[in-house]
Amino acid sequence: MFIVLIVLALAIFILPNLWAKWVLKRHTRGRDDYPGTGAELAEHLLRRLGVEGVSVERTEFGDHYDPESRCVRLTPDHYDGRSLTAVTVAAHEVGHAIQHHEGYAPLLARSRLVQVAQKAEKLGAILMMAAPFLFVLTRLPGGLAVVIAMAVISFGTAALVHLVTLPVEFDASFNRALPLLKEYVPPYDIPGARHVLTACAFTYVAASLASVMNLGRWLVILRR
């Protein structure tokens, strides 16, 4: 049973990320028939769709859209790349900028929750460092309830952020990026673009499952 749980955990935590990396790498071949790079497509889409005040920048810290600075950030391979992966990732991040521009409720909720989660993570760190004290506290009347409440606030908030992230990412990929890509890449590349978006989506699903499992693990530990 223990071995089965280990295999399941590895499948949830590792395989989706490995698959996503393989899929993205598979479609990184340069394409001379594409009219522009990932950054150029992102800038074009933002102008065309009237999303004002959003810039496109190069980053070394992963592709993302920053709602606070209103900036689409792309890694060098995707910023300068002229490949299916580059333009697909760029369109996805522009999808987040469109969500923000339109006031998409789940994105706004996630942005607020992230701020709460950052504080909750600090509480989680304190909770782990104070483990010996908590062991004594749980033996006192009402102590277990206090510890469980702290764990739920800390790890539960992180799990909630991951769960709210899912509809945000799926909407940016399949309701916004994919329809736009159909206008800019050849029809025979659309299955590949969908493949890239699906692979990336599975990494968020895996992160959500991992977060929920972490919360459950702590609750089991604290209830012993």
Side-chain angles (χ1 to χ4, degrees), residues 8-9 11-14 16 155 158-164 166 201-217:
L8 180 61
I12 292 175
F13 300 151
I14 299 177
F155 300 103
L160 184 59
V161 168
H162 282 103
L163 291 174
V164 172
L166 292 179
F202 265 89
T203 63
Y204 291 103
V205 172
S208 299
L209 290 174
S211 185
V212 171
M213 288 177 63
N214 190 42
L215 172 61
R217 181 175 64 88

Side-chain angles (χ1 to χ4, degrees), residues 25-39:
K25 186 176 181 179
R26 181 184 177 190
H27 297 286
T28 54
R29 180 175 59 85
R31 296 288 298 272
D32 294 334
D33 56 330
Y34 282 9
T37 64

Side-chain angles (χ1 to χ4, degrees), residues 83-163:
S83 67
L84 181 59
T85 292
V87 298
T88 299
V89 171
H92 171 83
E93 300 307 336
V94 168
H96 287 309
I98 298 171
Q99 290 174 334
H100 193 194
H101 178 70
E102 296 179 353
Y104 182 62
L107 176 68
L108 301 180
R110 183 181 70 172
S111 299
R112 290 190 291 267
L113 279 171
V114 166
Q115 298 177 355
V116 175
Q118 291 173 344
K119 297 178 181 178
E121 285 179 2
K122 294 180 180 178
L123 176 61
I126 295 173
L127 186 66
M128 295 179 68
M129 289 187 292
F133 168 75
L134 295 175
F135 178 77
V136 175
L137 180 61
T138 55
R139 300 297 188 269
L140 300 176
L144 179 61
V146 172
V147 174
I148 291 178
M150 291 173 63
V152 170
I153 292 173
S154 175
F155 300 103
T157 303
L160 184 59
V161 168
H162 282 103
L163 291 174

